[in-house]
Amino acid sequence: MAASTSLPLFFFFFFSTLFFISQSQTTARNGLMINCGSSRSIVSNGLSWTPDSPYISTGFSASLKRPNTDPVFSTLRYFNETARKSCFVLPALRRIRYLVRTAYFYGGFDGGNVPPVFDQIVDGTFWGTVNTSKDYAMNRTSFYELILAASGKTISVCVAKNKKTTTYPFISAIQLIRLEGSVYNSTDFGKHALSTVSRHAFGYGGKTIRFPDDQFDRFWDPFLDAYQPFSTTSNVPVTGFWNIPPSKVFDTGLTPKEGKKMELQWPSVALQNSSYYIALYFRHHQVPGSPPWRAFNVSVNNVEFYRNLNVTPGGEVVFATRWPLFNFTRISLSASAQSAVGPVINAGEILQIVNLGGRTLTRDGIVLLLLINPISFALMHIVGLLICWVGCSYCLGSTKEKHAYATIGLEWRSLFASRELLDWRHVLLRRNLTGMGISGSLPPLIAKMSAVDEIWLGYNKFSGTIPDLRPLKRLKILDLENNELSGTIPSTLGMVLAKQQSHRENTSKSEKSWITSTT
């Protein structure tokens, strides 16, 4: 293992297969493959797929009547309920890293020609917007992949409506695959997740490399360029690589046709201004009369990535755990002065570093339950006491916290039918309770939800006055439009929403106005 000394703000690691890690082998068969909308188990691409009914209780199944469709994508689940978000709840082991992949094939299930646009959220973290229009126009399935560590005994995978959603959100398939201890382990998964942007096998022109070649069923797409592709039989032992890539990606590669330099624009799409995990894979392609190694320098967007990399037939990988990228990316390789042959590259991965959603304070959960239904809250609290009394893995901290964790973590599902409300980190930081039919007054205890930054309570039946919200230091948005509130807007509200905007439009009894707070 060596490290580059340039750019000390970043850490670059080099790992050679001369050093092996003894690891037990797992396969994607040990993962959870969910065929959404299906009522039966099937086998596809060597993987066993199960129906989705054990993991969600909302939505509707649809079957696509399209010839030559992969059986996994011939069914889907869609959601036309008024709830903004709908979630699958998948079993997991706390702190274990998983690959989560969602798949979407529209197929015109709703009688339309254009797929809906909506968001996806995993364990309270906004993953991204699902827009499958380009893929669907080419009759292709859209895939999204995230790598994260489970924070509890379940992982929630949700689809959610946004402002661009005009029809029903849907989903075709979900994969949850447990990763080996060394795979992507340089990332702090207590704070971040990795969203896959690009994963390619260079110089390869065949079908996507996946399971069984890749035991975690990662997708390595083909990538050809103007440079000279080559192929060979490598049989590289990959157990010594931290990320355990498939040996097949070392069978092909790119090298200059002439000279000792090459430059690739990869990936082919422009990237958001963000930090990324980058892993580049190399193997010396030895031909008769050539030396047993080659050495070259690697740069990313004209910034040194690794200097004088010595590549042998055993294969090497160089990776950066946090590298800033924006727009198009260029990978430059130039032979070192002592190398008799030009550079080579076999495969690469780029994954965007995603900040996890904030943690919810226990008291915020209690207040939200009281806000929605005081009677249900009381019942849930009693059940929580019993759960903690017999022993509960969520019971931490003080007695009150134990009761709350038992209540929130275990009993929400049984007392509220919508499983999507299990996702507490998202629920309590940016909760949209618009149009939920909630009535009654806004309790003063709402001011104790100190971790919340957005409250969306429009189109309900709240009455009475707005309480003092000065304790909500993080609050940025308060939406109370189309309720039955009375009285005047508290003067303190402008202090809470400094330089933010709140609007309140009542259906009766009171003024209708927009408030833009100032400092």
Side-chain angles (χ1 to χ4, degrees):
M1 178 96 48
S4 170
T5 56
S6 61
L7 288 180
L9 293 178
F10 308 104
F11 298 93
F12 314 104
F13 299 88
F14 162 71
F15 192 82
S16 169
T17 55
L18 294 176
F19 303 97
F20 294 95
I21 299 174
S22 176
Q23 297 172 320
S24 60
Q25 295 299 302
T26 62
T27 69
R29 288 192 180 95
N30 294 329
L32 179 60
M33 315 293 159
I34 301 175
N35 187 8
C36 299
S38 178
S39 60
R40 60 187 180 89
S41 299
I42 63 172
V43 176
S44 180
N45 295 318
L47 299 172
S48 297
W49 296 80
T50 185
D52 64 352
S53 55
Y55 312 105
I56 193 166
S57 58
T58 61
F60 302 89
S61 300
S63 297
L64 306 181
K65 298 179 180 180
R66 297 174 65 94
N68 303 318
T69 301
D70 186 310
V72 175
F73 309 123
S74 63
T75 61
L76 57 81
R77 181 168 294 273
Y78 68 95
F79 307 91
N80 68 351
E81 295 94 343
T82 57
R84 189 185 70 89
K85 186 174 64 169
S86 302
C87 297
F88 294 79
V89 181
L90 313 180
L93 296 175
R94 187 169 180 264
R95 296 182 180 177
I96 297 299
R97 287 189 297 279
Y98 291 90
L99 181 152
V100 179
R101 181 182 295 118
T102 53
Y104 302 89
F105 183 72
Y106 170 58
F109 75 91
D110 56 359
N113 297 315
V114 180
V117 177
F118 49 90
D119 294 335
Q120 52 184 354
I121 300 165
V122 175
D123 256 11
T125 295
F126 174 73
W127 185 353
T129 298
V130 176
N131 188 340
T132 66
S133 299
K134 291 183 179 180
D135 284 335
Y136 182 64
M138 294 182 284
N139 199 37
R140 298 191 311 198
T141 301
S142 298
F143 296 95
Y144 298 81
E145 183 183 294
L146 190 73
I147 296 169
L148 78 164
S151 60
K153 295 184 178 180
T154 61
I155 292 176
S156 63
V157 179
C158 313
V159 294
K161 297 177 182 178
N162 59 31
K163 294 181 180 179
K164 296 182 179 180
T165 306
T166 57
T167 55
Y168 307 143
F170 72 98
I171 189 168
S172 301
I174 304 173
Q175 292 176 270
L176 181 70
I177 301 171
R178 179 175 174 173
L179 299 177
E180 291 279 3
S182 67
V183 179
Y184 308 111
N185 70 350
S186 59
T187 298
D188 182 356
F189 285 99
K191 298 179 180 179
H192 308 290
L194 296 176
S195 179
T196 303
V197 174
S198 184
R199 185 181 291 115
H200 282 96
F202 296 119
Y204 175 71
K207 293 183 178 180
T208 297
I209 299 171
R210 53 177 302 190
F211 183 84
D213 294 299
D214 188 311
Q215 60 178 294
F216 307 115
D217 197 30
R218 290 169 296 188
F219 292 1
W220 300 80
D221 293 321
F223 185 95
L224 295 173
D225 196 85
Y227 292 99
Q228 181 69 44
F230 65 85
S231 61
T232 183
T233 302
S234 63
N235 295 320
V236 171
V238 296
T239 53
F241 290 90
W242 282 2
N243 289 346
I244 316 180
S247 178
K248 190 172 182 178
V249 301
F250 293 100
D251 290 350
T252 60
L254 294 173
T255 191
K257 295 179 181 179
E258 298 178 356
K260 296 184 179 181
K261 294 182 180 181
M262 61 187 299
E263 186 174 85
L264 302 174
Q265 180 179 295
W266 173 80
S268 59
V269 296
L271 302 182
Q272 297 178 11
N273 187 2
S274 184
S275 296
Y276 294 83
Y277 174 100
I278 305 175
L280 302 177
Y281 300 85
F282 310 92
R283 175 182 176 269
H284 174 52
H285 171 49
Q286 190 172 9
V287 296
S290 67
W293 55 271
R294 66 181 73 203
F296 48 88
N297 302 314
V298 184
S299 297
V300 176
N301 290 338
N302 298 319
V303 178
E304 184 177 279
F305 193 79
Y306 200 90
R307 179 182 299 175
N308 200 27
L309 176 65
N310 192 310
V311 179
T312 69
E316 320 288 352
V317 59
V318 180
F319 64 92
T321 60
R322 196 175 185 88
W323 189 281
L325 294 176
F326 174 63
N327 212 338
F328 291 101
T329 303
R330 304 199 72 82
I331 309 296
S332 302
L333 309 172
S334 59
S336 301
Q338 68 272 28
S339 182
V341 292
V344 65
I345 187 168
N346 298 82
E349 299 178 271
I350 292 183
L351 300 94
Q352 185 177 7
I353 299 173
V354 179
N355 294 326
L356 296 181
R359 305 298 180 185
T360 296
L361 300 180
T362 301
R363 61 177 175 273
D364 296 352
I366 296 174
V367 173
L368 185 61
L369 294 180
L370 184 58
L371 175 65
I372 295 176
N373 192 326
I375 297 176
S376 293
F377 170 76
L379 293 174
M380 291 168 66
H381 185 72
I382 294 172
V383 175
L385 290 174
L386 296 176
I387 292 173
C388 276
W389 183 64
V390 299
C392 166
S393 62
Y394 289 89
C395 296
L396 304 170
S398 67
T399 301
K400 291 182 179 179
E401 288 174 336
K402 291 179 181 180
H403 299 167
Y405 270 96
T407 300
I408 296 170
L410 299 178
E411 291 306 308
W412 180 266
R413 182 184 306 177
S414 62
L415 287 163
F416 293 91
S418 177
R419 293 193 186 193
E420 58 101 7
L421 292 177
L422 280 170
D423 190 354
W424 281 95
R425 284 170 294 179
H426 186 77
V427 166
L428 300 180
L429 288 176
R430 298 177 182 85
R431 184 53 184 145
N432 187 345
L433 295 177
T434 302
M436 295 289 286
I438 307 172
S439 60
S441 61
L442 292 172
L445 282 176
I446 196 173
K448 294 187 178 295
M449 298 174 65
S450 58
V452 78
D453 56 21
E454 296 181 13
I455 299 177
W456 298 83
L457 298 175
Y459 293 87
N460 283 291
K461 298 179 181 179
F462 286 111
S463 58
T465 60
I466 301 174
D468 184 0
L469 302 179
R470 279 179 292 181
L472 302 184
K473 305 299 184 183
R474 299 182 180 180
L475 186 63
K476 298 178 181 178
I477 296 176
L478 174 63
D479 181 6
L480 297 173
E481 66 175 321
N482 280 300
N483 277 284
E484 300 174 1
L485 297 169
S486 59
T488 60
I489 299 168
S491 59
T492 56
L493 194 57
M495 299 170 60
V496 176
L497 304 176
K499 293 184 179 180
Q500 303 294 333
Q501 189 178 70
S502 169
H503 61 278
R504 171 176 177 261
E505 181 180 346
N506 291 303
T507 55
S508 63
K509 298 184 181 179
S510 183
E511 57 187 343
K512 298 182 180 181
S513 62
W514 284 80
I515 308 170
T516 302
S517 60
T518 60
T519 57

